[in-house]
Amino acid sequence: MRYSTLFGKTNKTAPHDAESVNARLLVQAGFVNQLMAGVYTYLPLGLRVLNKIQNIIRKEMNGLGASEIYMPALHPKDLYDTTGRWDQIDVLFKLTGSGEKEYALGSTHEEVVTPLVQQYVRSYKDLPLAVFQIQDKFRNEARAKSGLLRGREFSMKDLYSFHLTEEDFQQFYEKSKQSYLNVFQTCGLDAMIVEASGGVFSKFSHEFQVATEHGEDLVYHCKCGFAQNREIAEVKAGDTCPSCGKGTIKETKTIEVGNIFPLKTKFTGAFDFKVQGPDNALVDILMGCYGIGPSRVMGTIVEIHNDERGMLWPKAVAPFDVHLVTIGSKDDSVNEQIESSAESLIEELKQQGTEVLWDDRETRPGEKFADADLIGIPLRLVISEKTLAEGSFEWKPRQETESRLVKLEDVIEEVKVWCTTPDRLTSQE
Ligand code: ATP
Ligand code: MG
């Protein structure tokens, strides 16, 4: 992709109203554009990242045996009358349509998915079953000031599972924890599993929390893996860990990137969703729900992986694999050589599935380098009159300060190795 034709460019000045690092860098680098507080357009670079995050999640959900569906965002009020949540969900956007009919914009989908699954489950043989979707959710958040971290419209992957027995539910719930950890690790996020309030139906739900000083949540945790959210915490900083009996409890600010919830019969009960068991008696159906916010994950990655020059995308979610910078010469014939080397490099890399953003503008090299650092693609290659004279490209990973020369004939192979080498940003320390 040629940068000159890319829709959405970098801005020199930071948006004056951006109160968080992710909003400032993503807007400045041309990844997103703010429509109003908590509502963003994804420009091509941002959309590529969002799609990659969603696909990483999709792969893990398929691995759990869940089927992807896509439910409506516009919900009739009567479903919420059935569950009693019309006035309970404080962030629900409510609308009135023709004939004074009332609707909600989906903030979550239990009210839609439960009666949906009910229509297709005829006997106990149809269970267990899990469905998921990746879709925009709407929440009338009071404070939507943290860029992609807290949107009023935001992307969510929501998975719902249905089970006949508690053991079967528990098994699936534990498996989902590992899938979630895989997602966050691939995205370059080191997530803690944190016990959080489960409401009236079970003792705990589990949150996936990423430590950062810009987080809104507060977690009490121990090195042994014990962790509780402030809102339920039975411990405080400095206490001896109640789980291992040795470690000291620490307090850390975090961002919640995922949440899994045992729902027991809260929704299946409300919709009177039961099935006939093997002995013909009616059996209650146990349900779980499992959420991840891909857009919040994107914002969190930026909060964690940035420096004074811009963003540093982990390889798996970077908008492109390689940022190619060409530096023009005063000599037309040299320019032609530079262009043709760039074009053949891009073509050969494409053959092996490597995606390249080519800064082909006639701009000062300093500006191109500053933009490359701001955009944060993991690997920068430069071709100029100087490197050409050495039969080489200049090679510089975004995380490193030193560049080196790589021979023209070796660069394809080296990029291939680079793309498959584990990412320093995603390896757990
Ligand atoms: P929070 O406590 O941050 O308000 P929540 O507990 O209400 O979030 P869930 O309903 O469990 O969140 O939603 C599942 C996931 O969706 C969250 O873990 C988070 O990643 C994401 N999410 C929730 N609210 C927002 C939002 N306003 N903007 C962006 N992502 C969100
Ligand atoms: Mg929460």
Side-chain angles (χ1 to χ4, degrees):
M1 167 107 223
R2 284 170 179 261
Y3 192 76
S4 61
T5 62
L6 182 78
F7 177 67
K9 296 284 196 286
T10 57
N11 311 305
K12 286 215 178 50
T13 45
H16 64 277
D17 56 346
E19 292 182 27
S20 60
V21 173
N22 79 88
R24 177 170 64 76
L25 291 173
L26 288 167
V27 170
Q28 235 189 311
F31 282 56
V32 300
N33 176 278
Q34 192 184 46
L35 179 65
M36 57 180 151
V39 183
Y40 288 87
T41 295
Y42 288 77
L43 300 170
L45 287 178
L47 184 58
R48 290 178 77 97
V49 175
L50 186 68
N51 283 336
K52 287 191 179 181
I53 295 170
Q54 291 175 341
N55 283 333
I56 290 166
I57 297 171
R58 186 171 270 126
K59 187 167 154 241
E60 288 294 335
M61 295 303 106
N62 288 331
L64 277 172
S67 305
E68 184 165 1
I69 60 175
Y70 190 73
M71 290 179 273
L74 190 64
H75 303 173
K77 176 172 183 278
D78 58 311
L79 294 173
Y80 293 81
D81 292 336
T82 305
T83 62
R85 292 211 297 177
W86 184 256
D87 292 314
Q88 256 176 31
I89 304 178
D90 54 353
V91 292
L92 202 61
F93 276 110
K94 297 170 181 171
L95 323 169
T96 308
S98 59
E100 297 299 299
K101 218 172 145 19
E102 291 184 280
Y103 305 90
L105 290 179
S107 68
T108 174
H109 275 70
E110 284 82 2
E111 274 79 0
V112 177
V113 78
T114 312
L116 172 78
V117 170
Q118 188 173 18
Q119 289 177 51
Y120 295 91
V121 172
R122 302 257 145 72
S123 91
Y124 69 95
K125 291 182 187 154
D126 296 325
L127 295 175
L129 177 156
V131 290
F132 76 100
Q133 65 171 348
I134 298 174
Q135 197 224 26
D136 271 8
K137 296 281 188 273
F138 299 85
R139 292 187 184 180
N140 197 1
E141 301 276 5
R143 290 174 55 253
K145 286 184 178 169
S146 326
L148 299 190
L149 300 183
R150 188 166 294 285
R152 294 203 168 103
E153 177 176 353
F154 60 95
S155 172
M156 198 201 284
K157 180 287 301 174
D158 43 331
L159 164 76
Y160 305 89
S161 73
F162 299 83
H163 308 265
L164 287 169
T165 65
E166 183 64 33
E167 296 87 275
D168 189 58
F169 166 73
Q170 277 304 335
Q171 249 177 31
F172 187 87
Y173 192 78
E174 290 307 315
K175 253 172 65 185
S176 78
K177 285 185 185 166
Q178 190 53 52
S179 304
Y180 269 45
L181 291 177
N182 296 346
V183 165
F184 299 127
Q185 209 214 319
T186 308
C187 291
L189 299 177
D190 191 1
M192 286 187 255
I193 302 185
V194 175
E195 291 171 352
S197 149
V200 283
F201 290 90
S202 48
K203 186 161 186 223
F204 292 123
S205 68
H206 292 88
E207 295 171 343
F208 293 76
Q209 297 273 8
V210 174
T212 151
E213 57 185 293
H214 305 296
E216 281 183 12
D217 283 23
L218 201 63
V219 165
Y220 294 101
H221 60 105
C222 171
K223 271 196 266 190
C224 74
F226 171 86
Q228 288 188 332
N229 191 307
R230 161 176 52 185
E231 287 160 16
I232 53 135
E234 295 152 352
V235 291
K236 57 183 189 317
D239 283 1
T240 300
C241 173
S243 176
C244 68
K246 291 193 293 251
T248 306
I249 296 294
K250 276 185 20 185
E251 182 186 278
T252 303
K253 280 192 185 170
T254 56
I255 299 172
E256 179 201 312
V257 285
N259 199 180
I260 60 175
F261 236 93
L263 296 170
K264 301 268 168 98
T265 55
K266 175 170 178 173
F267 294 96
T268 52
F271 287 98
D272 199 21
F273 176 17
K274 295 179 184 188
V275 280
Q276 266 184 345
D279 58 0
N280 290 334
L282 281 181
V283 188
D284 284 338
I285 293 173
L286 303 174
M287 191 173 160
C289 71
Y290 314 76
I292 299 183
S295 49
R296 184 181 285 182
V297 167
M298 180 168 161
T300 307
I301 295 169
V302 178
E303 294 288 331
I304 300 283
H305 299 297
N306 69 76
D307 63 16
E308 64 292 346
R309 290 172 289 137
M311 302 182 283
L312 287 86
W313 292 104
K315 288 178 191 173
V317 297
F320 289 89
D321 303 307
V322 173
H323 194 128
L324 174 64
V325 174
T326 46
I327 297 175
S329 149
K330 292 195 183 84
D331 182 331
D332 281 350
S333 74
V334 175
N335 263 342
E336 270 170 37
Q337 270 182 296
I338 292 173
E339 294 261 320
S340 73
S341 305
E343 275 164 7
S344 62
L345 176 80
I346 291 167
E347 193 44 45
E348 280 185 73
L349 287 176
K350 196 170 146 196
Q351 305 291 323
Q352 66 181 38
T354 306
E355 299 164 337
V356 181
L357 180 64
W358 173 18
D359 193 342
D360 60 333
R361 294 172 300 171
E362 289 176 19
T363 332
R364 285 184 304 109
E367 192 172 330
K368 291 191 177 191
F369 294 149
D371 280 349
D373 282 345
L374 176 61
I375 291 169
I377 290 167
L379 178 62
R380 189 186 79 189
L381 295 178
V382 180
I383 185 153
S384 65
E385 185 165 6
K386 211 172 105 209
T387 70
L388 208 56
E390 308 236 16
S392 300
F393 282 94
E394 186 198 273
W395 170 291
K396 193 182 98 53
R398 173 66 179 85
Q399 310 167 32
E400 291 170 21
T401 42
E402 298 298 314
S403 62
R404 64 186 173 92
L405 291 178
V406 173
K407 289 281 174 214
L408 292 179
E409 61 271 25
D410 296 335
V411 76
I412 299 294
E413 187 56 29
E414 288 221 23
V415 170
K416 190 174 180 180
V417 172
W418 156 268
C419 287
T420 51
T421 309
D423 196 335
R424 262 192 19 221
L425 296 180
T426 60
S427 61
Q428 311 268 13
E429 300 272 300

